[in-house]
Coordinates of all heavy atoms in Angstrom, one line a residue:
V1 N 12.0 15.7 -18.8 CA 12.5 14.7 -19.8 C 11.4 14.3 -20.7 O 10.3 13.9 -20.2 CB 13.1 13.5 -19.1 CG1 13.5 12.4 -20.1 CG2 14.2 13.8 -18.2
T2 N 11.5 14.5 -22.0 CA 10.5 14.1 -23.0 C 10.7 12.7 -23.4 O 11.7 12.3 -23.8 CB 10.6 15.0 -24.2 OG1 10.5 16.4 -23.9 CG2 9.5 14.6 -25.2
P3 N 9.6 11.9 -23.1 CA 9.7 10.5 -23.5 C 9.9 10.3 -25.0 O 9.5 11.2 -25.8 CB 8.4 9.9 -23.1 CG 7.8 10.9 -22.2 CD 8.3 12.2 -22.5
T4 N 10.5 9.2 -25.4 CA 10.6 9.0 -26.9 C 9.2 8.7 -27.5 O 8.4 8.0 -26.9 CB 11.5 7.7 -27.1 OG1 12.7 7.9 -26.4 CG2 11.7 7.4 -28.5
I5 N 9.0 9.3 -28.6 CA 7.7 9.1 -29.3 C 7.9 8.0 -30.3 O 8.6 8.2 -31.3 CB 7.3 10.4 -30.0 CG1 7.3 11.6 -29.1 CG2 5.9 10.2 -30.6 CD1 6.4 11.5 -27.9
P6 N 7.1 6.9 -30.2 CA 7.2 5.9 -31.1 C 6.7 6.4 -32.5 O 5.9 7.3 -32.6 CB 6.2 4.8 -30.6 CG 6.0 5.1 -29.2 CD 6.2 6.6 -29.1
S7 N 7.2 5.8 -33.6 CA 6.9 6.2 -34.9 C 5.4 6.0 -35.3 O 4.9 6.6 -36.2 CB 7.8 5.5 -35.9 OG 7.7 4.1 -35.8
D8 N 4.8 5.0 -34.6 CA 3.4 4.7 -34.9 C 2.4 5.5 -34.1 O 1.2 5.2 -34.1 CB 3.2 3.2 -34.8 CG 3.4 2.7 -33.4 OD1 4.0 3.5 -32.6 OD2 2.9 1.6 -33.1
G9 N 2.9 6.6 -33.4 CA 2.0 7.4 -32.7 C 2.2 7.4 -31.2 O 3.1 6.7 -30.7
I10 N 1.5 8.2 -30.5 CA 1.7 8.4 -29.1 C 0.8 7.5 -28.3 O -0.5 7.6 -28.4 CB 1.4 9.9 -28.7 CG1 2.5 10.8 -29.3 CG2 1.3 10.0 -27.2 CD1 2.3 12.2 -28.9
P11 N 1.3 6.6 -27.5 CA 0.5 5.7 -26.6 C -0.1 6.6 -25.4 O 0.5 7.6 -25.1 CB 1.4 4.6 -26.1 CG 2.8 5.2 -26.3 CD 2.7 6.2 -27.3
C12 N -1.1 6.1 -24.8 CA -1.8 6.9 -23.8 C -0.9 7.2 -22.6 O -0.9 8.3 -22.1 CB -3.0 6.0 -23.2 SG -4.3 5.8 -24.5
N13 N 0.0 6.3 -22.2 CA 0.8 6.6 -21.1 C 1.8 7.7 -21.4 O 2.2 8.5 -20.5 CB 1.5 5.3 -20.6 CG 2.5 4.7 -21.6 OD1 2.1 4.6 -22.8 ND2 3.7 4.3 -21.2
V14 N 2.2 7.8 -22.7 CA 3.2 8.8 -23.1 C 2.4 10.2 -23.1 O 2.9 11.2 -22.7 CB 3.8 8.5 -24.4 CG1 4.6 9.7 -24.9 CG2 4.7 7.3 -24.3
F15 N 1.2 10.1 -23.6 CA 0.4 11.3 -23.6 C 0.3 11.9 -22.2 O 0.4 13.1 -22.0 CB -1.0 11.1 -24.1 CG -2.0 12.2 -23.9 CD1 -1.8 13.4 -24.6 CD2 -2.9 12.2 -22.9 CE1 -2.7 14.5 -24.4 CE2 -3.7 13.3 -22.6 CZ -3.6 14.4 -23.4
V16 N 0.0 11.1 -21.2 CA -0.1 11.5 -19.8 C 1.1 12.2 -19.3 O 1.1 13.2 -18.6 CB -0.6 10.4 -18.9 CG1 -0.5 10.8 -17.4 CG2 -2.0 10.0 -19.2
E17 N 2.3 11.7 -19.8 CA 3.5 12.3 -19.4 C 3.7 13.7 -20.0 O 4.4 14.5 -19.5 CB 4.7 11.4 -19.8 CG 4.8 10.1 -19.0 CD 4.9 10.3 -17.5 OE1 5.7 11.2 -17.1 OE2 4.2 9.7 -16.7
L18 N 3.1 13.8 -21.2 CA 3.3 15.1 -22.0 C 2.2 16.1 -21.8 O 2.3 17.2 -22.3 CB 3.4 14.7 -23.5 CG 4.6 13.9 -23.9 CD1 4.5 13.5 -25.4 CD2 5.9 14.6 -23.6
V19 N 1.2 15.7 -21.0 CA 0.0 16.6 -21.0 C 0.3 18.0 -20.5 O -0.3 19.0 -21.0 CB -1.2 15.9 -20.3 CG1 -0.9 15.7 -18.8 CG2 -2.5 16.7 -20.5
T20 N 1.1 18.1 -19.5 CA 1.3 19.4 -18.9 C 2.1 20.3 -19.9 O 1.8 21.5 -20.1 CB 2.1 19.4 -17.6 OG1 3.3 18.6 -17.7 CG2 1.2 18.8 -16.5
E21 N 3.1 19.7 -20.6 CA 3.8 20.4 -21.6 C 2.9 20.8 -22.8 O 3.1 21.8 -23.4 CB 5.0 19.6 -22.1 CG 6.1 19.4 -21.1 CD 6.0 18.2 -20.2 OE1 4.8 17.7 -20.1 OE2 7.0 17.7 -19.7
Y22 N 2.0 19.9 -23.1 CA 1.1 20.1 -24.2 C 0.2 21.4 -23.8 O 0.1 22.3 -24.7 CB 0.2 18.9 -24.4 CG -0.9 19.1 -25.4 CD1 -0.6 19.0 -26.8 CD2 -2.2 19.4 -25.0 CE1 -1.6 19.1 -27.7 CE2 -3.2 19.5 -26.0 CZ -2.9 19.4 -27.3 OH -3.9 19.6 -28.3
L23 N -0.3 21.4 -22.6 CA -1.1 22.6 -22.2 C -0.3 23.8 -22.1 O -0.8 24.9 -22.2 CB -1.8 22.2 -20.9 CG -2.9 21.2 -21.0 CD1 -3.4 20.7 -19.6 CD2 -4.1 21.7 -21.8
D24 N 1.0 23.6 -21.8 CA 1.9 24.8 -21.6 C 2.5 25.2 -23.0 O 3.3 26.2 -23.0 CB 3.0 24.3 -20.7 CG 3.7 25.5 -20.0 OD1 3.0 26.5 -19.8 OD2 4.9 25.5 -19.8
S25 N 2.1 24.5 -24.0 CA 2.6 24.9 -25.4 C 4.1 24.8 -25.5 O 4.7 25.6 -26.2 CB 2.1 26.2 -25.9 OG 0.7 26.2 -25.8
S26 N 4.7 23.9 -24.7 CA 6.2 23.9 -24.7 C 6.7 22.7 -25.5 O 7.9 22.4 -25.4 CB 6.7 23.8 -23.3 OG 6.2 22.7 -22.6
L27 N 5.9 22.0 -26.3 CA 6.3 20.9 -27.1 C 6.6 21.3 -28.5 O 6.0 22.3 -29.0 CB 5.2 19.8 -27.1 CG 5.0 19.1 -25.8 CD1 3.7 18.3 -25.8 CD2 6.2 18.3 -25.4
P28 N 7.5 20.6 -29.2 CA 7.7 20.9 -30.6 C 6.4 20.6 -31.4 O 5.6 19.8 -31.1 CB 8.8 19.9 -31.0 CG 9.4 19.3 -29.7 CD 8.3 19.5 -28.7
D29 N 6.3 21.3 -32.5 CA 5.1 21.2 -33.4 C 4.8 19.8 -33.8 O 3.7 19.3 -33.8 CB 5.3 22.1 -34.6 CG 5.1 23.6 -34.3 OD1 4.7 23.9 -33.2 OD2 5.5 24.4 -35.2
G30 N 5.9 19.0 -34.1 CA 5.7 17.7 -34.5 C 5.1 16.8 -33.5 O 4.2 15.9 -33.8
V31 N 5.4 17.0 -32.2 CA 4.9 16.3 -31.1 C 3.4 16.7 -30.9 O 2.6 15.8 -30.6 CB 5.7 16.5 -29.8 CG1 5.1 15.7 -28.7 CG2 7.2 15.9 -30.1
V32 N 3.2 18.0 -30.9 CA 1.8 18.5 -30.8 C 0.9 17.8 -31.8 O -0.2 17.4 -31.5 CB 1.8 20.0 -30.8 CG1 0.3 20.5 -30.9 CG2 2.5 20.6 -29.7
A33 N 1.4 17.7 -33.0 CA 0.6 17.2 -34.1 C 0.3 15.7 -33.8 O -0.9 15.2 -34.0 CB 1.3 17.3 -35.5
R34 N 1.3 15.0 -33.3 CA 1.0 13.6 -32.9 C 0.0 13.5 -31.8 O -0.9 12.6 -31.8 CB 2.3 13.0 -32.4 CG 3.4 12.7 -33.5 CD 3.1 11.3 -34.1 NE 4.0 11.1 -35.2 CZ 5.3 10.7 -35.0 NH1 5.8 10.6 -33.8 NH2 6.1 10.5 -36.0
I35 N 0.1 14.4 -30.8 CA -0.9 14.4 -29.7 C -2.3 14.7 -30.2 O -3.2 14.0 -29.9 CB -0.4 15.4 -28.6 CG1 0.8 14.8 -27.9 CG2 -1.6 15.6 -27.6 CD1 1.4 15.8 -26.9
D36 N -2.4 15.7 -31.1 CA -3.7 16.0 -31.7 C -4.3 14.8 -32.4 O -5.5 14.5 -32.4 CB -3.6 17.2 -32.6 CG -3.4 18.5 -31.8 OD1 -3.7 18.5 -30.6 OD2 -2.9 19.5 -32.4
E37 N -3.4 14.1 -33.1 CA -3.9 12.9 -33.8 C -4.4 11.8 -32.8 O -5.4 11.2 -33.1 CB -2.7 12.2 -34.6 CG -2.4 12.9 -36.0 CD -1.2 12.2 -36.6 OE1 -0.9 11.1 -36.3 OE2 -0.5 12.9 -37.4
H38 N -3.7 11.7 -31.8 CA -4.1 10.7 -30.7 C -5.4 11.1 -30.1 O -6.3 10.3 -29.9 CB -3.0 10.6 -29.7 CG -3.3 9.5 -28.6 ND1 -3.2 8.2 -28.8 CD2 -3.9 9.7 -27.4 CE1 -3.6 7.5 -27.8 NE2 -4.0 8.4 -26.9
L39 N -5.5 12.4 -29.8 CA -6.7 12.9 -29.1 C -7.9 12.7 -30.0 O -9.1 12.5 -29.6 CB -6.6 14.4 -28.8 CG -5.6 14.7 -27.7 CD1 -5.4 16.2 -27.5 CD2 -6.1 14.1 -26.3
A40 N -7.7 12.7 -31.3 CA -8.8 12.6 -32.3 C -9.4 11.2 -32.2 O -10.6 11.0 -32.6 CB -8.4 12.9 -33.7
V41 N -8.6 10.2 -31.7 CA -9.1 8.9 -31.7 C -9.2 8.3 -30.4 O -9.5 7.1 -30.2 CB -8.2 8.0 -32.6 CG1 -8.2 8.4 -34.1 CG2 -6.8 7.9 -32.1
C42 N -8.9 9.1 -29.3 CA -8.8 8.5 -28.0 C -9.6 9.3 -27.0 O -9.1 10.3 -26.4 CB -7.4 8.4 -27.5 SG -7.2 7.5 -25.9
P43 N -10.9 9.1 -26.8 CA -11.7 9.8 -25.8 C -11.2 9.8 -24.4 O -11.4 10.8 -23.7 CB -13.1 9.1 -25.9 CG -13.1 8.4 -27.2 CD -11.7 8.0 -27.5
G44 N -10.5 8.8 -24.1 CA -10.0 8.7 -22.7 C -8.9 9.8 -22.5 O -8.9 10.4 -21.4
C45 N -8.1 10.0 -23.4 CA -7.1 11.0 -23.3 C -7.7 12.4 -23.4 O -7.2 13.3 -22.7 CB -5.9 10.8 -24.3 SG -4.8 9.5 -23.8
V46 N -8.7 12.6 -24.2 CA -9.4 13.9 -24.2 C -10.0 14.2 -22.8 O -9.8 15.3 -22.3 CB -10.5 13.8 -25.2 CG1 -11.4 15.1 -25.1 CG2 -10.0 13.7 -26.6
S47 N -10.5 13.2 -22.2 CA -11.0 13.3 -20.8 C -9.9 13.7 -19.8 O -10.1 14.6 -19.0 CB -11.7 12.0 -20.4 OG -12.0 12.0 -19.0
V48 N -8.8 13.1 -19.9 CA -7.6 13.4 -19.1 C -7.2 14.8 -19.3 O -6.9 15.6 -18.4 CB -6.5 12.4 -19.3 CG1 -5.2 12.9 -18.7 CG2 -6.8 11.0 -18.8
L49 N -7.2 15.2 -20.6 CA -6.7 16.6 -20.9 C -7.7 17.6 -20.3 O -7.2 18.6 -19.7 CB -6.7 16.7 -22.4 CG -6.3 18.1 -23.0 CD1 -4.9 18.4 -22.6 CD2 -6.5 18.1 -24.5
E50 N -9.0 17.3 -20.4 CA -10.0 18.3 -19.8 C -9.8 18.3 -18.3 O -9.9 19.4 -17.7 CB -11.4 17.8 -20.1 CG -11.7 17.9 -21.6 CD -11.5 19.4 -22.1 OE1 -11.9 20.3 -21.4 OE2 -10.9 19.5 -23.1
Q51 N -9.5 17.2 -17.6 CA -9.3 17.2 -16.2 C -8.0 18.0 -15.8 O -8.0 18.7 -14.8 CB -9.2 15.8 -15.7 CG -10.6 15.1 -15.7 CD -10.6 13.7 -15.3 OE1 -10.5 13.4 -14.1 NE2 -10.6 12.8 -16.2
F52 N -7.0 17.8 -16.6 CA -5.8 18.6 -16.4 C -6.0 20.1 -16.5 O -5.5 20.9 -15.8 CB -4.6 18.2 -17.3 CG -3.7 17.2 -16.7 CD1 -4.0 15.8 -16.8 CD2 -2.6 17.6 -15.9 CE1 -3.1 14.9 -16.3 CE2 -1.8 16.6 -15.3 CZ -2.0 15.3 -15.5
R53 N -6.9 20.5 -17.5 CA -7.2 21.9 -17.7 C -7.9 22.4 -16.4 O -7.7 23.5 -16.0 CB -8.2 22.0 -18.9 CG -7.4 22.0 -20.2 CD -8.2 22.7 -21.3 NE -7.4 22.9 -22.5 CZ -7.6 22.2 -23.6 NH1 -8.6 21.4 -23.7 NH2 -6.8 22.4 -24.6
V54 N -8.8 21.6 -15.8 CA -9.4 22.0 -14.5 C -8.4 22.2 -13.4 O -8.4 23.2 -12.7 CB -10.5 20.9 -14.1 CG1 -11.0 21.2 -12.7 CG2 -11.6 20.9 -15.1
V55 N -7.5 21.2 -13.3 CA -6.4 21.3 -12.3 C -5.6 22.6 -12.5 O -5.3 23.3 -11.5 CB -5.5 20.1 -12.4 CG1 -4.3 20.3 -11.5 CG2 -6.3 18.8 -11.9
I56 N -5.3 22.9 -13.7 CA -4.5 24.1 -14.0 C -5.3 25.3 -13.7 O -4.8 26.3 -13.2 CB -4.0 24.1 -15.5 CG1 -3.0 23.0 -15.6 CG2 -3.5 25.4 -15.9 CD1 -2.7 22.6 -17.0
G57 N -6.6 25.2 -13.9 CA -7.5 26.4 -13.5 C -7.4 26.6 -12.0 O -7.4 27.8 -11.6
Y58 N -7.3 25.6 -11.2 CA -7.1 25.8 -9.7 C -5.7 26.3 -9.4 O -5.6 27.2 -8.6 CB -7.3 24.4 -9.0 CG -8.7 23.9 -9.0 CD1 -8.9 22.5 -9.2 CD2 -9.8 24.7 -8.7 CE1 -10.2 22.0 -9.2 CE2 -11.0 24.2 -8.7 CZ -11.3 22.9 -8.9 OH -12.5 22.4 -8.9
A59 N -4.7 25.7 -10.0 CA -3.4 26.0 -9.6 C -2.7 27.2 -10.3 O -1.7 27.6 -10.0 CB -2.5 24.7 -9.8
G60 N -3.5 27.8 -11.3 CA -2.8 28.8 -12.1 C -1.9 28.1 -13.1 O -2.2 27.0 -13.5
R61 N -0.8 28.7 -13.4 CA 0.1 28.1 -14.3 C 0.8 27.0 -13.6 O 1.3 27.0 -12.5 CB 1.1 29.2 -14.7 CG 2.0 28.7 -15.9 CD 3.0 29.9 -16.2 NE 4.1 29.4 -16.9 CZ 4.1 29.2 -18.3 NH1 3.0 29.6 -18.9 NH2 5.1 28.8 -18.9
I62 N 0.8 25.8 -14.3 CA 1.4 24.6 -13.8 C 2.5 24.1 -14.7 O 2.4 24.2 -15.9 CB 0.4 23.6 -13.5 CG1 0.8 22.5 -12.6 CG2 -0.2 23.0 -14.8 CD1 -0.3 21.6 -12.1
G63 N 3.6 23.6 -14.1 CA 4.7 23.1 -14.8 C 5.0 21.7 -14.5 O 4.4 21.1 -13.5
E64 N 5.9 21.1 -15.1 CA 6.2 19.7 -14.9 C 6.7 19.5 -13.4 O 6.3 18.6 -12.7 CB 7.3 19.2 -15.8 CG 7.6 17.8 -15.8 CD 8.7 17.4 -16.8 OE1 9.1 18.2 -17.6 OE2 9.0 16.2 -16.9
R65 N 7.5 20.5 -12.9 CA 8.0 20.4 -11.6 C 6.8 20.5 -10.6 O 6.8 19.8 -9.6 CB 8.9 21.6 -11.4 CG 9.6 21.7 -10.0 CD 10.6 22.8 -10.0 NE 10.0 24.1 -10.5 CZ 9.3 24.9 -9.6 NH1 9.2 24.7 -8.4 NH2 8.8 26.1 -10.1
D66 N 5.8 21.3 -10.9 CA 4.7 21.5 -10.0 C 3.9 20.2 -9.9 O 3.4 19.8 -8.9 CB 3.7 22.6 -10.5 CG 4.5 23.9 -10.5 OD1 5.1 24.2 -9.5 OD2 4.4 24.6 -11.6
V67 N 3.7 19.5 -11.0 CA 3.0 18.2 -11.0 C 3.7 17.3 -10.1 O 3.1 16.5 -9.4 CB 2.9 17.6 -12.5 CG1 2.4 16.2 -12.4 CG2 2.0 18.5 -13.3
D68 N 5.0 17.3 -10.1 CA 5.8 16.4 -9.3 C 5.7 16.7 -7.8 O 5.8 15.9 -6.9 CB 7.2 16.3 -9.7 CG 7.4 15.6 -11.0 OD1 6.5 14.9 -11.4 OD2 8.5 15.8 -11.7
T69 N 5.5 18.0 -7.5 CA 5.6 18.4 -6.1 C 4.3 18.7 -5.4 O 4.0 18.1 -4.4 CB 6.5 19.7 -6.0 OG1 6.0 20.7 -6.8 CG2 7.9 19.4 -6.4
I70 N 3.4 19.5 -6.0 CA 2.2 20.0 -5.3 C 1.0 19.2 -5.7 O 0.0 19.4 -5.1 CB 2.0 21.5 -5.5 CG1 1.6 21.8 -7.0 CG2 3.2 22.3 -5.1 CD1 1.1 23.2 -7.2
E71 N 1.0 18.4 -6.7 CA -0.2 17.7 -7.1 C -0.2 16.2 -7.1 O -0.8 15.6 -8.0 CB -0.5 18.2 -8.6 CG -0.7 19.7 -8.8 CD -2.0 20.2 -8.2 OE1 -2.8 19.4 -7.7 OE2 -2.1 21.5 -8.2
P72 N 0.5 15.6 -6.2 CA 0.6 14.1 -6.2 C -0.8 13.4 -6.1 O -1.1 12.5 -6.8 CB 1.5 13.7 -5.1 CG 1.5 14.9 -4.1 CD 1.2 16.1 -5.0
A73 N -1.6 14.0 -5.2 CA -2.9 13.3 -5.0 C -3.8 13.5 -6.2 O -4.5 12.6 -6.7 CB -3.6 13.9 -3.8
V74 N -3.8 14.7 -6.7 CA -4.6 15.0 -7.9 C -4.1 14.2 -9.1 O -4.8 13.7 -9.9 CB -4.5 16.5 -8.2 CG1 -5.2 16.8 -9.6 CG2 -5.2 17.3 -7.1
R75 N -2.8 14.2 -9.2 CA -2.2 13.4 -10.3 C -2.6 11.9 -10.2 O -2.9 11.3 -11.2 CB -0.7 13.6 -10.3 CG 0.0 12.9 -11.5 CD 1.5 13.1 -11.4 NE 2.2 12.3 -12.4 CZ 2.4 12.7 -13.7 NH1 2.0 13.9 -14.1 NH2 3.0 11.9 -14.5
A76 N -2.6 11.4 -9.0 CA -3.0 10.0 -8.8 C -4.4 9.8 -9.2 O -4.8 8.8 -9.8 CB -2.8 9.6 -7.4
E77 N -5.2 10.8 -8.9 CA -6.7 10.7 -9.2 C -6.8 10.8 -10.7 O -7.6 10.0 -11.3 CB -7.4 12.0 -8.6 CG -8.6 11.7 -7.8 CD -9.1 12.9 -7.1 OE1 -9.7 13.7 -7.8 OE2 -8.9 13.1 -5.9
L78 N -6.1 11.6 -11.4 CA -6.2 11.7 -12.8 C -5.7 10.4 -13.5 O -6.3 10.0 -14.5 CB -5.3 12.9 -13.3 CG -5.8 14.3 -13.0 CD1 -4.8 15.3 -13.3 CD2 -7.1 14.6 -13.7
M79 N -4.6 9.9 -12.9 CA -4.1 8.6 -13.5 C -5.2 7.5 -13.4 O -5.4 6.7 -14.3 CB -2.8 8.2 -12.8 CG -1.7 9.1 -13.1 SD -1.3 9.1 -14.9 CE -0.7 7.4 -15.2
Q80 N -5.9 7.5 -12.2 CA -6.9 6.5 -12.0 C -8.1 6.7 -13.0 O -8.5 5.8 -13.7 CB -7.5 6.6 -10.6 CG -8.6 5.7 -10.3 CD -8.2 4.2 -10.4 OE1 -7.0 3.9 -10.1 NE2 -9.1 3.4 -10.7
A81 N -8.5 8.0 -13.2 CA -9.6 8.3 -14.1 C -9.1 7.9 -15.5 O -9.9 7.4 -16.3 CB -9.9 9.8 -14.0
F82 N -7.9 8.2 -15.8 CA -7.3 7.9 -17.1 C -7.3 6.4 -17.4 O -7.8 5.9 -18.4 CB -5.9 8.4 -17.1 CG -5.0 7.8 -18.2 CD1 -5.2 8.3 -19.5 CD2 -4.1 6.8 -17.9 CE1 -4.4 7.7 -20.5 CE2 -3.3 6.3 -18.9 CZ -3.5 6.7 -20.2
R83 N -6.9 5.6 -16.4 CA -6.9 4.1 -16.5 C -8.3 3.6 -16.8 O -8.6 2.8 -17.6 CB -6.4 3.5 -15.3 CG -4.9 3.3 -15.3 CD -4.3 2.5 -14.2 NE -3.1 3.0 -13.7 CZ -3.1 3.7 -12.6 NH1 -4.1 3.9 -11.8 NH2 -1.9 4.3 -12.2
E84 N -9.3 4.2 -16.0 CA -10.7 3.7 -16.2 C -11.2 4.1 -17.6 O -11.8 3.3 -18.2 CB -11.6 4.4 -15.1 CG -11.3 3.8 -13.7 CD -12.0 4.5 -12.6 OE1 -12.8 5.5 -13.0 OE2 -11.9 4.2 -11.5
A85 N -10.9 5.3 -18.0 CA -11.3 5.8 -19.3 C -10.7 4.9 -20.4 O -11.4 4.5 -21.3 CB -11.0 7.2 -19.5
T86 N -9.4 4.6 -20.3 CA -8.8 3.9 -21.4 C -9.2 2.4 -21.4 O -9.3 1.8 -22.4 CB -7.3 4.0 -21.3 OG1 -6.8 3.6 -20.0 CG2 -6.8 5.4 -21.6
T87 N -9.5 1.9 -20.2 CA -9.9 0.5 -20.1 C -11.3 0.4 -20.8 O -11.6 -0.5 -21.6 CB -10.0 0.0 -18.7 OG1 -8.8 0.2 -18.1 CG2 -10.5 -1.4 -18.6
R88 N -12.2 1.4 -20.5 CA -13.5 1.4 -21.1 C -13.4 1.5 -22.6 O -14.1 0.9 -23.4 CB -14.3 2.6 -20.6 CG -15.1 2.2 -19.3 CD -16.3 3.2 -19.2 NE -15.8 4.6 -19.2 CZ -15.4 5.2 -18.1 NH1 -15.4 4.6 -16.9 NH2 -15.0 6.5 -18.2
G89 N -12.4 2.4 -23.0 CA -12.2 2.6 -24.4 C -11.9 1.4 -25.2 O -12.1 1.3 -26.4
R90 N -11.2 0.4 -24.6 CA -10.8 -0.8 -25.3 C -11.9 -1.8 -25.0 O -12.2 -2.6 -25.8 CB -9.5 -1.4 -24.7 CG -8.4 -0.6 -25.2 CD -7.1 -0.9 -24.5 NE -6.1 0.2 -24.7 CZ -5.1 0.4 -23.9 NH1 -5.0 -0.2 -22.8 NH2 -4.2 1.4 -24.2
Ligands
ZN101 ZN1 -5.0 7.8 -25.3

């Protein structure tokens, strides 16, 4: 399920929901453009993106279903890192 994208840009929590699809290139161009805009101004989300890339390196190809099933601990870790990063960012 793709969350609704607010007209004023993608908030961090929505980015986290979309990150696997972003890496999987399964998002519409318009959404990717919004994410790229957000990444340009949000180091916290860039950090999350890099960490997801590492996770995907371990797991091979990863999908939304995989995130829900095989990566709960890693996902929780990423969410924690993400919260810390975004808190620092503000
Ligand atoms: Zn962000």
Side-chain angles (χ1 to χ4, degrees):
V1 176
T2 301
T4 304
I5 308 300
S7 58
D8 61 345
I10 291 183
C12 294
N13 63 316
V14 173
F15 168 74
V16 170
E17 291 301 315
L18 295 174
V19 64
T20 53
E21 289 92 336
Y22 177 79
L23 290 171
D24 202 32
S25 302
S26 61
L27 291 170
D29 287 348
V31 176
V32 171
R34 288 273 180 76
I35 288 175
D36 287 340
E37 279 175 25
H38 182 79
L39 290 172
V41 298
C42 186
C45 283
V46 172
S47 169
V48 169
L49 180 63
E50 290 307 314
Q51 290 177 74
F52 264 91
R53 281 202 170 111
V54 171
V55 170
I56 290 165
Y58 289 137
R61 189 182 162 84
I62 195 167
E64 189 175 359
R65 184 175 51 87
D66 300 313
V67 171
D68 289 341
T69 54
I70 69 171
E71 304 285 357
V74 173
R75 187 178 168 88
E77 235 174 74
L78 290 171
M79 289 301 293
Q80 178 63 30
F82 162 78
R83 272 190 221 100
E84 288 171 4
T86 54
T87 301
R88 271 201 306 273
R90 282 167 198 157

